[in-house]
Amino acid sequence: MKINKSKLKDLIARTPIAGKDYTLKLPCDHLSVSQIQKYLRCGEYYRRMRLDPALQVKAYPSSQFEGHAHHKVLEVSCRCKMAGGRHLTVEEALKVYQHFVEAHRHEVTDWHGESPEEIDTRAKEFIGQLYGKVASGLNPGSFNYAFSAYVDTLEPKAVEVKWEKEFAGVPCIGYVDVLEDDMITDLKVVKRLGDIENHLQLDFYSCVHNIEHVQLLQLIKHKDPARCKIVPDVNRRN
């Protein structure tokens, strides 16, 4: 194959652009940051699960359901703060959680060996830590008060902020959980502590909104609710 040397030099000097320098097949008309992360972990797995219609299965695992429930509570609390000057109380947060659960629990396709009751018990623990007060019927001694009332520190100017931006010819889309004047916060419900310094989503969010300070609010789940904890981690993107 004959190589066009001038074009090769041009490609080396810049980022190749989709649609101009190569053809990119997308599962829809854009890429989300989570899709990019899955591709970077294993390109073949991504190709099979996202691009091969025969292998695509609509699933809603309990882990995703649990994350969505806590995102909904945080969203409502931040909207309450923006509209009325205060975040939700723990009792109000529990009601929002229960409303979401009742509306969407039937959609879960795989509970991964856990019962809905176990996830609810864990949720009460997280909500108690995030929103600060002890809900009636819960054990005060089980809460990690180091991060009690943590949500009260958030001063949101927007929540669930959708962004769309093209990077090197690839249309990308995403949502910021909480946007403050000088901080971006991303909430995660995870089994183990993530690395904020190598967090692709926060890199994208910082770039799109031109905000240096980012925060990863991690809800570390455990089979034993008393061992659940919340870890806020702040970092600066240059």
Side-chain angles (χ1 to χ4, degrees):
M1 181 179 70
K2 188 176 181 180
I3 299 176
N4 187 318
K5 292 185 178 180
S6 61
K7 184 176 181 179
L8 181 61
K9 288 181 180 179
D10 177 54
L11 285 174
I12 293 173
R14 64 175 174 80
T15 302
I17 299 173
K20 179 180 178 181
D21 301 310
Y22 64 97
T23 300
L24 179 66
K25 182 180 180 181
L26 298 176
C28 48
D29 59 355
H30 63 268
L31 281 179
S32 67
V33 182
S34 62
Q35 289 174 348
I36 296 171
Q37 287 177 310
K38 289 176 182 176
Y39 175 79
L40 291 175
R41 290 192 192 104
C42 180
E44 180 60 18
Y45 175 82
Y46 177 84
R47 184 190 70 78
R48 288 175 176 269
M49 300 308 294
R50 299 293 301 190
L51 301 180
D52 188 341
L55 296 175
Q56 290 181 27
V57 178
K58 289 186 177 180
Y60 191 37
S62 59
S63 56
Q64 191 174 358
F65 164 75
E66 186 175 10
H68 286 171
H70 285 290
H71 276 87
K72 174 53 68 175
V73 178
L74 181 63
E75 177 191 349
V76 173
S77 185
C78 287
R79 293 193 187 282
C80 182
K81 174 70 173 179
M82 291 186 292
R86 70 169 181 85
H87 281 282
L88 298 178
T89 65
V90 70
E91 288 81 8
E92 291 168 338
L94 283 170
K95 287 181 180 178
V96 174
Y97 171 82
Q98 287 299 335
H99 180 76
F100 180 91
V101 166
E102 290 168 7
H104 299 284
R105 179 175 283 165
H106 69 280
E107 300 171 11
V108 177
T109 57
D110 189 348
W111 290 95
H112 292 293
E114 288 191 310
S115 69
E117 291 72 25
E118 287 178 296
I119 292 176
D120 288 347
T121 301
R122 187 159 60 220
K124 291 177 182 178
E125 185 71 27
F126 283 137
I127 288 172
Q129 292 184 36
L130 277 171
Y131 299 89
K133 297 178 183 177
V134 178
S136 57
L138 298 183
N139 176 16
S142 69
F143 288 121
N144 179 353
Y145 279 100
F147 303 114
S148 221
Y150 188 79
V151 168
D152 282 342
T153 67
L154 299 177
E155 296 290 340
K157 68 175 186 180
V159 292
E160 290 299 312
V161 184
K162 182 180 180 179
W163 57 265
E164 297 179 73
K165 189 176 178 66
E166 190 174 282
F167 292 92
V170 181
C172 296
I173 190 172
Y175 292 85
V176 172
D177 291 343
V178 182
L179 185 64
E180 299 178 80
D181 287 331
D182 58 353
M183 180 79 75
I184 288 172
T185 296
D186 192 50
L187 175 72
K188 296 292 183 190
V189 182
V190 293
K191 290 183 178 179
R192 60 188 64 86
L193 199 64
D195 180 7
I196 191 172
E197 293 188 3
N198 296 290
H199 197 280
L200 188 63
Q201 279 183 297
L202 290 175
D203 289 339
F204 269 84
Y205 298 167
S206 176
C207 175
V208 169
H209 293 280
N210 195 29
I211 293 179
E212 289 184 343
H213 293 93
V214 294
Q215 177 175 223
L216 192 57
L217 187 56
Q218 301 182 83
L219 280 58
I220 314 298
K221 59 185 180 181
H222 195 276
K223 280 282 188 180
D224 177 4
R227 295 179 64 182
C228 292
K229 62 180 179 179
I230 296 171
V231 181
D233 196 359
V234 178
N235 190 259
R236 181 175 179 178
R237 297 301 200 253
N238 296 319

